[in-house]
Amino acid sequence: MLTTAETDRYRRRLLSLRRRLVVDVSELEPEAIRPVGGDSSGDLSDVPLHSADPASDEHEEQVDVSLLQNESQLLTEVNDALDRIERGTFGRCENCGREISKERLDALPYARYCIRCARKFQADNAS
Ligand SMILES: [Zn+2]
């Protein structure tokens, strides 16, 4: 089980991640999401936001769209994770109900599924 302090730490990371995402998404599509005010700065240096994949010029437009989709999707994941914290279900796999490992939550605080289920889904999608 996650302690209150641990949950709180993930909440702070999720909130600062969300602030950054909201800014990014609104820059790409100004009318999509209105930035929310916030002044505290979170340390995001350890959050793997992008799997660095430099865009080539000829596909720039396409990349922008997929970037927006990814970030919008990520924003949804982050919001859902914050919602789970509020409901007290954060840290549990939505598929099997097992606890998500802290290592996984440290890497992906918005992780919805445990590593087993995530791998299973990935395998299903790959086929
Ligand atoms: Zn699971």
Side-chain angles (χ1 to χ4, degrees), residues 18-100:
R18 181 169 70 174
R19 268 198 299 277
R20 176 161 146 188
L21 283 170
V22 167
V23 171
D24 279 2
V25 171
S26 61
E27 274 172 2
L28 286 165
E29 196 179 74
E31 288 174 5
I33 292 156
R34 235 162 51 88
V36 288
D39 49 10
S40 58
S41 59
D43 181 14
L44 288 169
S45 56
D46 58 341
V47 178
L49 242 190
H50 303 286
S51 49
D53 188 10
S56 66
D57 283 350
E58 43 183 283
H59 296 302
E60 201 176 336
E61 202 171 315
Q62 225 177 344
V63 167
D64 274 352
V65 170
S66 72
L67 183 69
L68 177 62
Q69 283 171 346
N70 288 343
E71 300 216 333
S72 298
Q73 200 189 349
L74 196 50
L75 188 58
T76 305
E77 297 295 317
V78 169
N79 280 329
D80 284 358
L82 287 164
D83 203 47
R84 288 196 295 278
I85 288 177
E86 294 307 314
R87 286 179 309 178
T89 60
F90 179 80
R92 287 197 175 274
C93 176
E94 289 200 333
N95 186 54
C96 69
R98 286 196 189 90
E99 281 184 30
I100 301 171

